[in-house]
Every structure is written in C-alpha cells, then in structure tokens.
Amino acid sequence: QVRLEESGGGSVQAGGSLRLVCKASGNTARYSCMGWFRQKSGTEREEVASLYPDTSTRYYDHSVEGRFTISEDNAKNMVYLQMNSLKPEDAAMYYCVTGQGLGGRCPARFWGQGTQVTVSS
C-alpha cells in the first residue's frame, strides 16, 4: 500500500508562488513515477507535472511549463511542485499521485487526499 500526503496549498494573489509538498510512504518501490494532477470545479482531473526519479524524466502540461517545476528528494521520499507566476486558472484541488509508466505522463495508481490552491485576480 502507498500513502501520499500533500501539503502547501493555500490562497495567493495572481503572480504569486506556492510550493506543494508530497510525502510518500509504503511500498513505493513498485512504482516508477510520481506526479501532480489537479481538478477544477466541474471538470475532470488533469495531469500537471510528473517525473521519473530514476531517469530524471519530467513531463509538464503546456499550461504550466515554464512556471511550475517538479522535483523530488529521494532520500526523504518527497516530491515537490514549485508553482510560480500563478494565474487564476491554476486554482484547483491538487493531488499527488504515483504510478507505473514508461516515461512522459504518469499513469496514476495511488492518489493523495488533495490540497486546495486558490488564486485571486
């Protein structure tokens, strides 16, 4: 079983920054990628960013590339999402995920509980 716990969400004005943190525990060795999805009100969840720690391969959705950075601390089983230049359209519930993929996007298998991000214009 894998547990994912997100933190770092909050309220910020447009142009501001937030850093999301995900702590992974359990049988994480079975899974090759970790990432972040988000869900806006009334919409489906969408992948924001993901990475493969063993190869340093990263994926970013076009809407966040250049503004968001995904990184990890393998020793601590942590993954981060640094979000800069936040826009109102970035407001969503953000979920940490882990899964098994071949590179690029991360097919989510386990999900965290989510952390809310709001952006005021």
Side-chain angles (χ1 to χ4, degrees), residues 5-12 17-22 36 81 83 86 94 113-118:
E5 300 288 341
E6 306 101 327
S7 62
S11 299
V12 66
S17 298
L18 287 171
R19 190 189 194 196
L20 306 185
V21 180
C22 174
W36 294 90
L81 186 67
M83 306 186 294
L86 282 161
Y94 282 74
Q113 80 285 354
T115 185
Q116 183 70 48
V117 172
T118 59

Side-chain angles (χ1 to χ4, degrees), residues 17-39:
S17 298
L18 287 171
R19 190 189 194 196
L20 306 185
V21 180
C22 174
K23 179 176 174 57
S25 60
N27 194 14
T28 59
R30 293 175 57 89
Y31 303 98
S32 61
C33 59
M34 298 188 70
W36 294 90
F37 282 63
R38 67 187 179 189
Q39 185 172 29

Side-chain angles (χ1 to χ4, degrees), residues 3-115:
R3 295 181 181 180
L4 303 169
E5 300 288 341
E6 306 101 327
S7 62
S11 299
V12 66
Q13 295 185 19
S17 298
L18 287 171
R19 190 189 194 196
L20 306 185
V21 180
C22 174
K23 179 176 174 57
S25 60
N27 194 14
T28 59
R30 293 175 57 89
Y31 303 98
S32 61
C33 59
M34 298 188 70
W36 294 90
F37 282 63
R38 67 187 179 189
Q39 185 172 29
K40 305 173 184 179
S41 296
T43 69
E44 298 180 355
R45 293 181 182 181
E46 60 185 7
E47 190 168 1
V48 176
S50 58
L51 84 166
Y52 291 75
D54 58 340
T55 63
S56 297
T57 302
R58 299 182 183 187
Y59 162 83
Y60 293 99
D61 183 78
H62 66 90
S63 66
V64 306
E65 190 168 10
R67 299 187 297 118
F68 291 11
T69 302
I70 187 169
S71 60
E72 54 86 28
D73 185 336
N74 189 55
K76 297 181 178 180
N77 288 324
M78 305 282 281
V79 63
Y80 309 92
L81 186 67
Q82 179 67 46
M83 306 186 294
N84 297 328
S85 301
L86 282 161
K87 304 175 180 179
E89 66 186 82
D90 295 319
M93 184 73 77
Y94 282 74
Y95 297 89
C96 180
V97 305
T98 190
Q100 183 69 34
L102 301 176
R105 301 178 69 171
C106 182
R109 176 64 180 88
F110 289 95
W111 300 75
Q113 80 285 354
T115 185

